Amino acid sequence: MKISKRHILPIIVLALVFAIMTPLVIGAVGHYAINVGYGEDCRDELSEYFESEADLMYDETFLEQSVNEETPAIQLGQVDVSERFMFQIEYYNVVALRLQKELLRRNIALAQRQLEVEHVRFNLGETTQSNVDLANVQLQAFVAQLELVYESFSLRAEIVDRKRGLPGFEFIGDYSLPNISTPNVTDLNTLISNLLSGDIMPEMATQIEMTATAQWIAYLDAKMQYDLAATMRPILMVRLDLIAELYALGEISYIEKLAHELEVYEELFSADMATITLAIAIAELNVLLEQM
């Protein structure tokens, strides 16, 4: 089916919106990194994937309405493309939230241990009450952040799960990291050619070409970041094994083990976010072609 005038504009609008947005939850992850004091280096690294929360707004009402109202298209066994696309992006949001929960739990484990150490040092007269209080404040900040992320995860997963098992929503799985496939187009020229092959108004051709180019560039950038992350994963896993060996040999303390492991898991988390970013970029490309 060729792209009709009625279908192409909503699809392009959706693509443009998501081209300038990463998922809402990924923006929240960047906010989390700043609040818990990762430091400038980590904030810079996360900013490769995350935009500011002010730019990451989306219409939750649309999702609520779509799970409570059965549209004629669904009654006929079809799925509205824009609805499916928004639920797919939201599914990736929930995946990112689950990964953020795991990282926060590791932060909490380390912060608890640091607080225990500060208590012991205080009893031995090696530190002050203010240092103990500071360690406790940091722990409580992590706990509060985890509660917020857990609540957001539960609410969003509940909405997404209402589409589980329905035709067209097969992408809804167990919220594990998505498997990366290839987009339904092999190059930019083919993408533009396919999009312009339908019944398109002449004044829309330039906008379609600009949108397609922006989407393809976003995909190539996401693919590059994903490939770099993929090369790092084996190295990071070796680092985890080395940390475990050093601890077993008594070369590092338990708190040092937790701290070194957390550094590695933060890098693995960034690699996971690169995977989600690429999955979103592929979904954006595919939605442009969906109505063809």
Coordinates of all heavy atoms in Angstrom, one line a residue, residues 79-114:
V79 N -3.8 -2.5 13.4 CA -3.3 -1.7 14.5 C -2.9 -0.4 13.9 O -2.3 -0.3 12.9 CB -2.0 -2.4 15.1 CG1 -1.4 -1.5 16.2 CG2 -2.4 -3.8 15.6
D80 N -3.3 0.7 14.6 CA -2.9 2.0 14.2 C -1.4 2.2 14.4 O -0.8 1.9 15.4 CB -3.6 3.1 15.1 CG -3.3 4.5 14.7 OD1 -3.8 5.0 13.8 OD2 -2.4 5.1 15.4
V81 N -0.8 2.6 13.3 CA 0.7 2.7 13.3 C 1.2 3.6 14.4 O 2.2 3.3 15.1 CB 1.2 3.1 11.9 CG1 2.7 3.4 11.9 CG2 0.8 2.1 10.9
S82 N 0.6 4.8 14.5 CA 1.1 5.8 15.5 C 1.0 5.3 16.9 O 1.8 5.5 17.8 CB 0.4 7.1 15.3 OG -1.0 7.0 15.5
E83 N -0.1 4.6 17.2 CA -0.4 4.0 18.5 C 0.7 2.9 18.8 O 1.3 2.9 19.9 CB -1.8 3.4 18.6 CG -2.1 2.8 20.0 CD -3.4 2.0 20.0 OE1 -3.7 1.4 18.9 OE2 -4.0 1.9 21.0
R84 N 0.9 2.1 17.9 CA 1.9 1.0 18.1 C 3.3 1.6 18.3 O 4.0 1.1 19.2 CB 1.9 0.0 16.9 CG 2.9 -1.1 17.1 CD 2.8 -2.1 16.0 NE 3.2 -1.5 14.7 CZ 3.1 -2.1 13.5 NH1 2.6 -3.3 13.4 NH2 3.5 -1.5 12.4
F85 N 3.6 2.6 17.5 CA 4.9 3.2 17.6 C 5.1 3.8 19.0 O 6.2 3.7 19.7 CB 5.1 4.3 16.6 CG 6.3 5.1 16.6 CD1 7.6 4.4 16.6 CD2 6.3 6.5 16.7 CE1 8.8 5.1 16.6 CE2 7.5 7.2 16.7 CZ 8.7 6.5 16.6
M86 N 4.1 4.6 19.5 CA 4.2 5.2 20.8 C 4.3 4.1 21.9 O 5.1 4.3 22.9 CB 3.0 6.1 21.1 CG 3.1 7.4 20.2 SD 1.9 8.6 20.7 CE 2.6 9.2 22.2
F87 N 3.6 3.0 21.8 CA 3.7 2.0 22.8 C 5.1 1.3 22.7 O 5.6 0.9 23.8 CB 2.6 1.0 22.6 CG 1.4 1.3 23.4 CD1 0.4 2.0 22.9 CD2 1.3 0.8 24.8 CE1 -0.8 2.4 23.7 CE2 0.2 1.1 25.5 CZ -0.9 1.9 25.0
Q88 N 5.6 1.2 21.5 CA 7.0 0.6 21.4 C 8.0 1.5 22.1 O 8.9 0.9 22.8 CB 7.3 0.4 19.9 CG 8.6 -0.4 19.7 CD 8.8 -0.7 18.3 OE1 8.2 -0.2 17.4 NE2 9.8 -1.6 18.0
I89 N 7.9 2.8 21.9 CA 8.9 3.7 22.6 C 8.7 3.6 24.1 O 9.6 3.6 24.8 CB 8.7 5.1 22.1 CG1 8.9 5.2 20.5 CG2 9.6 6.1 22.8 CD1 10.3 4.8 20.1
E90 N 7.4 3.5 24.5 CA 7.2 3.5 25.9 C 7.7 2.1 26.5 O 8.2 2.1 27.6 CB 5.7 3.6 26.2 CG 5.3 3.6 27.7 CD 5.9 4.8 28.5 OE1 6.6 5.6 27.9 OE2 5.6 4.9 29.7
Y91 N 7.6 1.1 25.7 CA 8.2 -0.2 26.2 C 9.7 -0.1 26.4 O 10.2 -0.6 27.5 CB 7.9 -1.3 25.2 CG 8.5 -2.6 25.5 CD1 8.0 -3.4 26.5 CD2 9.7 -3.0 24.8 CE1 8.6 -4.6 26.8 CE2 10.3 -4.2 25.1 CZ 9.8 -5.0 26.1 OH 10.4 -6.2 26.4
Y92 N 10.4 0.6 25.5 CA 11.8 0.8 25.7 C 12.1 1.7 26.9 O 13.1 1.5 27.6 CB 12.4 1.4 24.5 CG 12.4 0.5 23.3 CD1 12.2 1.0 22.0 CD2 12.7 -0.8 23.4 CE1 12.2 0.2 20.9 CE2 12.7 -1.7 22.3 CZ 12.4 -1.2 21.1 OH 12.4 -2.0 20.0
N93 N 11.2 2.6 27.2 CA 11.3 3.5 28.4 C 11.3 2.6 29.7 O 12.1 2.8 30.6 CB 10.1 4.5 28.5 CG 10.2 5.6 27.5 OD1 11.3 5.8 26.9 ND2 9.1 6.3 27.3
V94 N 10.3 1.6 29.7 CA 10.2 0.8 30.9 C 11.4 -0.1 31.0 O 11.9 -0.4 32.1 CB 8.9 -0.1 30.8 CG1 8.8 -1.0 32.0 CG2 7.7 0.9 30.7
V95 N 12.0 -0.6 29.9 CA 13.2 -1.4 29.9 C 14.3 -0.6 30.5 O 15.1 -1.1 31.4 CB 13.6 -1.8 28.5 CG1 15.0 -2.5 28.5 CG2 12.6 -2.8 27.9
A96 N 14.5 0.7 30.2 CA 15.5 1.5 30.7 C 15.3 1.8 32.2 O 16.2 1.8 33.0 CB 15.5 2.9 30.0
L97 N 14.0 1.9 32.6 CA 13.7 2.0 34.1 C 14.1 0.8 34.8 O 14.7 0.9 36.0 CB 12.2 2.3 34.3 CG 11.8 3.7 34.0 CD1 10.2 3.8 34.0 CD2 12.3 4.7 35.0
R98 N 13.9 -0.4 34.3 CA 14.3 -1.6 35.0 C 15.8 -1.6 35.1 O 16.3 -2.0 36.2 CB 13.8 -2.8 34.2 CG 14.2 -4.1 34.9 CD 13.9 -5.3 34.0 NE 14.7 -5.4 32.8 CZ 16.0 -5.8 32.8 NH1 16.6 -6.2 34.0 NH2 16.7 -5.8 31.7
L99 N 16.5 -1.3 34.1 CA 18.0 -1.2 34.2 C 18.5 -0.2 35.2 O 19.4 -0.4 35.9 CB 18.6 -0.9 32.8 CG 18.4 -2.0 31.8 CD1 18.7 -1.5 30.4 CD2 19.1 -3.3 32.1
Q100 N 17.8 0.9 35.3 CA 18.1 2.0 36.2 C 17.9 1.5 37.7 O 18.7 1.8 38.6 CB 17.3 3.2 36.0 CG 17.7 4.4 36.8 CD 16.9 5.6 36.6 OE1 15.9 5.6 35.8 NE2 17.1 6.7 37.4
K101 N 16.8 0.7 37.9 CA 16.6 0.1 39.2 C 17.8 -0.8 39.6 O 18.2 -0.7 40.8 CB 15.3 -0.7 39.2 CG 14.0 0.0 39.1 CD 12.8 -0.9 39.5 CE 12.7 -2.1 38.6 NZ 11.6 -3.0 39.0
E102 N 18.3 -1.6 38.7 CA 19.4 -2.5 39.1 C 20.6 -1.7 39.4 O 21.3 -2.0 40.4 CB 19.7 -3.4 37.9 CG 18.5 -4.4 37.6 CD 18.8 -5.2 36.3 OE1 19.9 -5.0 35.7 OE2 17.9 -6.0 35.9
L103 N 20.9 -0.6 38.7 CA 22.1 0.2 39.0 C 21.9 0.9 40.3 O 22.8 1.0 41.1 CB 22.3 1.2 37.9 CG 23.6 2.1 38.0 CD1 24.8 1.2 38.0 CD2 23.6 3.1 36.9
L104 N 20.7 1.4 40.6 CA 20.4 2.1 41.9 C 20.6 1.1 43.1 O 21.1 1.5 44.1 CB 19.0 2.7 41.9 CG 18.9 4.0 41.3 CD1 17.4 4.4 41.0 CD2 19.6 5.1 42.1
R105 N 20.2 -0.1 42.9 CA 20.4 -1.1 44.0 C 21.9 -1.3 44.3 O 22.3 -1.5 45.5 CB 19.7 -2.4 43.6 CG 18.2 -2.4 43.6 CD 17.6 -3.8 43.5 NE 16.2 -3.7 43.4 CZ 15.5 -3.9 42.3 NH1 16.2 -4.1 41.1 NH2 14.2 -3.8 42.2
R106 N 22.7 -1.3 43.3 CA 24.1 -1.4 43.5 C 24.7 -0.1 44.2 O 25.6 -0.2 45.1 CB 24.9 -1.6 42.2 CG 24.5 -3.0 41.5 CD 25.3 -3.2 40.3 NE 25.0 -4.5 39.7 CZ 25.4 -5.7 40.1 NH1 26.2 -5.8 41.2 NH2 24.9 -6.8 39.5
N107 N 24.2 1.0 43.8 CA 24.6 2.2 44.6 C 24.2 2.2 46.0 O 24.9 2.6 46.9 CB 23.9 3.5 43.9 CG 24.6 4.0 42.7 OD1 25.6 4.8 42.8 ND2 24.2 3.6 41.5
I108 N 23.0 1.6 46.3 CA 22.5 1.5 47.7 C 23.4 0.6 48.5 O 23.7 0.8 49.6 CB 21.0 1.1 47.7 CG1 20.1 2.2 47.2 CG2 20.6 0.6 49.1 CD1 18.7 1.8 47.0
A109 N 23.8 -0.6 47.8 CA 24.6 -1.5 48.5 C 25.9 -0.9 48.9 O 26.4 -1.1 50.1 CB 24.8 -2.8 47.6
L110 N 26.5 -0.1 48.0 CA 27.8 0.5 48.3 C 27.6 1.6 49.4 O 28.4 1.7 50.3 CB 28.4 1.1 47.1 CG 29.7 1.9 47.3 CD1 30.8 1.1 47.9 CD2 30.1 2.5 45.9
A111 N 26.5 2.4 49.3 CA 26.3 3.5 50.2 C 26.0 2.9 51.6 O 26.4 3.5 52.6 CB 25.1 4.3 49.8
Q112 N 25.3 1.8 51.7 CA 25.1 1.1 53.0 C 26.4 0.7 53.7 O 26.6 0.9 54.9 CB 24.2 -0.1 52.9 CG 22.7 0.3 52.6 CD 21.9 -1.0 52.3 OE1 22.4 -2.0 51.8 NE2 20.6 -0.9 52.6
R113 N 27.3 0.1 52.8 CA 28.6 -0.3 53.4 C 29.4 0.9 53.8 O 30.1 0.9 54.8 CB 29.3 -1.1 52.3 CG 30.6 -1.7 52.8 CD 30.3 -2.8 53.8 NE 31.5 -3.6 54.1 CZ 31.5 -4.6 55.0 NH1 30.3 -5.0 55.6 NH2 32.6 -5.2 55.3
Q114 N 29.4 2.0 53.0 CA 30.1 3.2 53.4 C 29.6 3.8 54.7 O 30.4 4.2 55.5 CB 30.0 4.2 52.3 CG 30.8 3.9 51.0 CD 30.5 4.8 49.8 OE1 29.4 5.3 49.7 NE2 31.5 4.9 49.0

